[in-house]
Amino acid sequence: MKVLVTGADGYIGRALVARLLSNDIDSVLGAIPVNVVLIDQHFGEPYRDARVTALQGDIADPDLLHQATDGVDLVFHLASMPGGAVMRNFSLGIKINLQATIALFESLRIRERKPRVVFASTIGVYGVPMPDVIDEETLPSPSMSYGAHKLMGEILVSDYSLRGFIDGCALRLPGIVARPKQPSGLLSAFISDLIRDLTAGEKFVCPVAADGKTWLMSRPCVIDNLLHAAALDPQVAVRQRVWLLPVLHASMGEVAAAIARIEGPHVLQNITYEPNATLQAQFASYPPLVCPKSVAAGFRHDGTLELLVKRALQ
């Protein structure tokens, strides 16, 4: 099995590659990857596994894509430019989030094989304000360019699959925690900072209200769901191309309380709230999310907030 991962050196990509190279992957995918091809603009650390081919460069480069997609069986398309960065550079966002996706799918289309493609979409396709409940029938209406780009990517996944060029599916990922504290272009990074700072015993000023609710998933959990999508029964995959994932629906105060149950009550003395209206509207006004079809297909959330916090810090 040959596996391609785009955005492979990112927060999610690095963890996904580690799982693909782990000893248990045969039980998940039904086969052991003999060649794992990685694409990213740069790689912070070299891979020393003989199965890994790391291609550094522009994901929209036709020559790089031609090399990467030769004989590929499975593709995880994670590469993207996050929302905050897209707001600052619209043209680059179009190039990375949309044009590169088209270039990748075109490179796959001309191959003899019909690979399974797992596309990392986003809950940002819904935009704000949201209705009282989000379910599997809720129509997307993005209010940021990033969400619009990902919605276009979902449509491409469905269309290329309909035409028989790929066997694709898209997962609408929620906020993934806890990302490292570094410039990322993610406006929602404060949620990861909250978990990391409070767990470390540091003070944290939360830019949304204590009762502001969001959807959360740990990095190990999202990796489980990406791999589950890769191994979906073909009869299930052909019936549904876009999946809304089960999530934990929690307020900032509830997340802080979960950390306090793990680390001790002093945690609650270290958090204060200074709501930012823009962040509150975009990332802390989420309604309940209901997706019985996804649950029936085997997709899962972290279970409890305490488990989410522990897994988020792994």
Side-chain angles (χ1 to χ4, degrees):
M1 171 182 280
K2 180 177 180 179
V3 182
L4 169 63
V5 182
T6 74
D9 205 54
Y11 174 67
I12 296 174
R14 198 90 193 182
L16 175 61
V17 173
R19 281 292 303 277
L20 289 171
L21 299 175
S22 68
N23 293 329
D24 72 333
I25 198 64
D26 185 30
S27 63
V28 179
L29 295 181
I32 298 175
V34 295
N35 191 358
V36 181
V37 180
L38 314 179
I39 295 178
D40 214 316
Q41 291 180 319
H42 57 80
F43 290 90
E45 299 179 13
Y47 283 92
R48 308 198 183 280
D49 192 305
R51 292 171 291 172
V52 174
T53 302
L55 302 177
Q56 184 170 306
D58 186 344
I59 188 178
D61 180 349
D63 292 334
L64 183 145
L65 286 175
H66 183 76
Q67 179 182 355
T69 57
D70 182 29
V72 73
D73 301 292
L74 171 61
V75 179
F76 293 96
H77 183 28
L78 310 180
S80 68
M81 187 173 176
V86 173
M87 289 176 65
R88 294 188 294 271
N89 192 332
F90 179 79
S91 297
L92 187 59
I94 285 286
K95 177 184 177 182
I96 295 176
N97 292 346
L98 188 56
Q99 293 174 345
T101 298
I102 295 173
L104 171 63
F105 289 178
E106 279 294 282
S107 186
L108 294 171
R109 180 175 69 85
I110 63 175
R111 302 296 186 179
E112 292 183 5
R113 301 193 184 190
K114 176 184 174 182
R116 169 65 59 87
V117 176
V118 180
F119 173 67
S121 186
T122 174
I123 56 172
V125 300
Y126 294 111
V128 295
M130 292 184 179
D132 293 338
V133 176
I134 294 287
D135 61 26
E136 288 159 323
E137 307 305 320
T138 303
L139 295 177
S141 181
S143 54
M144 295 180 66
S145 295
Y146 176 71
H149 298 164
K150 288 294 189 178
L151 180 58
M152 295 177 206
E154 291 180 3
I155 295 170
L156 288 170
V157 168
S158 297
D159 190 41
Y160 274 70
S161 297
L162 178 66
R163 298 295 301 272
F165 303 140
I166 64 173
D167 176 16
C169 65
L171 306 187
R172 290 176 177 169
L173 305 185
I176 309 302
V177 293
R179 294 176 181 271
K181 296 189 71 173
Q182 60 186 20
S184 64
L186 289 164
L187 297 177
S188 59
F190 69 89
I191 304 172
S192 291
D193 294 343
L194 181 155
I195 293 175
R196 290 194 177 277
D197 288 359
L198 292 186
T199 301
E202 300 175 7
K203 294 187 180 298
F204 183 76
V205 179
C206 185
V208 302
D211 62 355
K213 288 207 166 187
T214 191
W215 300 330
L216 295 170
M217 182 176 289
S218 73
R219 180 168 63 169
C221 187
V222 77
I223 299 305
D224 288 344
N225 282 308
L226 288 168
L227 291 171
H228 182 72
L232 271 181
D233 184 290
Q235 295 304 314
V236 175
V238 77
R239 291 197 302 267
Q240 186 162 332
R241 295 295 179 183
V242 179
W243 297 92
L244 180 58
L245 295 181
V247 296
L248 290 179
H249 182 225
S251 69
M252 301 300 112
E254 289 169 337
V255 174
I259 298 171
R261 288 192 290 274
I262 299 170
E263 302 293 335
H266 65 278
V267 164
L268 299 180
Q269 300 174 6
N270 288 341
I271 186 168
T272 56
Y273 299 90
E274 296 182 5
N276 173 293
T278 300
L279 293 179
Q280 182 81 27
Q282 192 70 44
F283 301 107
S285 300
Y286 288 3
L289 184 154
V290 182
C291 52
K293 293 179 183 177
S294 298
V295 172
F299 294 102
R300 296 289 181 263
H301 57 54
D302 283 280
T304 67
L305 284 176
E306 287 86 352
L307 184 56
L308 177 141
V309 168
K310 292 176 181 178
R311 298 183 81 189
L313 296 170
Q314 290 177 4

